[in-house]
């Protein structure tokens, strides 16, 4: 049996500004080590708060990168967890001039959590220079009516191509993409498209004037080791 089985680590994936051909940040993606190697957790919501907190703190201690931001995913339930919030604030202190973005995901179990409940955390983040990103807009629970109350407090919006099976060859998907691009522009939010995998996708995003991108085409997530014995990818 692999003694590493069951440990969690963050993998980092680059986010790019294609107009200026520059790296703007990294997204931290949680993975669990299994007998089959590193895999995303079956349920991110089920990852214990103390693990998210400890791995986040250890990871940000290692990140001394000259970039604009580092992004981490949380759902509303996790955002309300005091242990995770303390870890986020501590992580921002390690990152110093690198901004920590909290990518807020939506899950069915979070539907009872109101913006009023989230506001104390949002204010804490804002006071420390942290930002809120609305993740996976246009997917399942993340339609306009769901994210509208958060728009005044957000700085970024992300559209995930990997959540759709048709790809950008589908005119309806392109229409959705443009719809969310324009909502982001109307609210002065950064708009990042993730899940870009081909040169054709990259070229189409050029024609749509979408500058900020993330995906396998630009770089796959890679393990950021926080312990010398961490297994490789």
């Amino acid at each position: 049996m692999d003694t590493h089985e069951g440990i969690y680590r963050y993998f980092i994936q680059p986010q790019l500004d294609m107009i200026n051909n520059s790296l703007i940040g990294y997204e931290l993606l949680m993975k669990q080590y299994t007998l089959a190697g590193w895999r995303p957790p079956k349920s991110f919501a089920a990852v214990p708060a103390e693990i998210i907190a400890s791995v986040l703190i250890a990871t940000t201690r290692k990140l001394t990168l000259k970039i604009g931001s580092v992004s981490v995913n949380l759902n509303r339930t996790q955002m309300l967890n005091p242990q995770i919030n303390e870890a986020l604030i501590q992580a921002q202190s390690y990152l110093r001039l690198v901004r920590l973005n909290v990518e807020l995901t939506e899950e069915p179990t979070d539907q009872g959590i109101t913006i009023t409940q989230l506001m104390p955390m949002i204010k804490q983040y804002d006071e420390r220079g942290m930002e809120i990103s609305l993740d996976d807009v246009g997917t399942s629970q993340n339609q306009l009516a769901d994210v509208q109350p958060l728009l005044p407090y957000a700085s970024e919006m992300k559209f995930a191509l990997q959540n759709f099976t048709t790809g950008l060859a589908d005119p309806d998907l392109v229409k959705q993409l443009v719809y969310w691009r324009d909502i982001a522009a109307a609210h002065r939010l950064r708009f990042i498209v993730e899940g870009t995998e081909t040169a054709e996708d990259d070229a189409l995003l050029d024609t749509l004037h979408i500058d900020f991108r993330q995906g396998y085409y630009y770089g796959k997530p890679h393990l950021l080791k926080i312990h010398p014995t961490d297994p490789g990818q």
Side-chain angles (χ1 to χ4, degrees), residues 92 99-103 125-126 129-133 153-156 190:
Q92 181 62 82
R99 182 182 64 253
L100 183 62
N101 287 343
V102 176
E103 292 192 11
Y125 300 164
D126 184 61
M130 299 157 63
E131 293 185 352
I132 296 291
S133 174
Y153 311 106
S155 300
E156 179 181 281
R190 288 187 306 276

Side-chain angles (χ1 to χ4, degrees), residues 149-169:
L150 282 165
L151 290 175
Y153 311 106
S155 300
E156 179 181 281
M157 186 180 285
K158 296 186 75 176
F159 188 94
L161 295 179
Q162 69 268 24
N163 290 345
F164 300 88
T165 57
T166 55
L168 287 177

Side-chain angles (χ1 to χ4, degrees), residues 43-226:
S43 169
F44 180 64
V47 179
E50 59 269 19
I51 288 179
I52 295 174
S54 63
V55 177
L56 177 62
I57 290 170
T59 300
T60 49
R61 278 177 175 159
K62 294 278 187 180
L63 284 171
T64 54
L65 305 169
K66 294 183 178 179
I67 53 174
S69 67
V70 170
S71 300
V72 61
N73 291 276
L74 290 183
N75 59 44
R76 294 190 183 201
T77 301
Q78 291 164 337
M79 192 170 167
L80 289 176
N81 185 284
Q83 188 174 15
I84 292 177
N85 267 282
E86 184 179 337
L88 287 168
I89 292 168
Q90 191 172 347
Q92 181 62 82
S93 70
Y94 289 132
L95 291 168
R96 297 184 182 177
L97 298 180
V98 177
R99 182 182 64 253
L100 183 62
N101 287 343
V102 176
E103 292 192 11
L104 189 58
T105 63
E106 297 288 337
E107 299 189 28
T109 53
D110 293 338
Q111 287 182 355
I113 298 175
T114 66
I115 302 302
T116 301
Q117 290 173 278
L118 298 178
M119 279 310 300
M121 277 62 69
I122 291 173
K123 288 178 180 178
Q124 284 185 49
Y125 300 164
D126 184 61
E127 288 169 358
R128 290 164 174 81
M130 299 157 63
E131 293 185 352
I132 296 291
S133 174
L134 304 179
D135 200 17
D136 293 343
V137 294
T139 304
S140 60
Q141 287 83 26
N142 250 11
Q143 301 305 317
L144 182 58
D146 303 302
V147 302
Q148 187 109 41
L150 282 165
L151 290 175
Y153 311 106
S155 300
E156 179 181 281
M157 186 180 285
K158 296 186 75 176
F159 188 94
L161 295 179
Q162 69 268 24
N163 290 345
F164 300 88
T165 57
T166 55
L168 287 177
D170 180 2
D172 289 335
L173 179 56
V174 174
K175 190 180 297 184
Q176 280 195 66
L177 180 57
V178 169
Y179 169 77
W180 285 102
R181 178 203 67 185
D182 292 348
I183 289 174
H187 290 85
R188 300 176 182 269
L189 307 181
R190 288 187 306 276
F191 185 64
I192 299 181
V193 171
E194 57 180 338
T196 310
E197 296 191 353
T198 67
E200 290 76 17
D201 288 348
D202 182 61
L204 180 57
L205 293 173
D206 283 343
T207 68
L208 297 176
H209 306 290
I210 295 173
D211 301 343
F212 301 127
R213 306 174 202 172
Q214 178 182 339
Y216 280 15
Y217 183 71
Y218 312 111
K220 293 183 178 182
H222 63 274
L223 174 67
L224 185 67
K225 292 190 175 187
I226 59 176

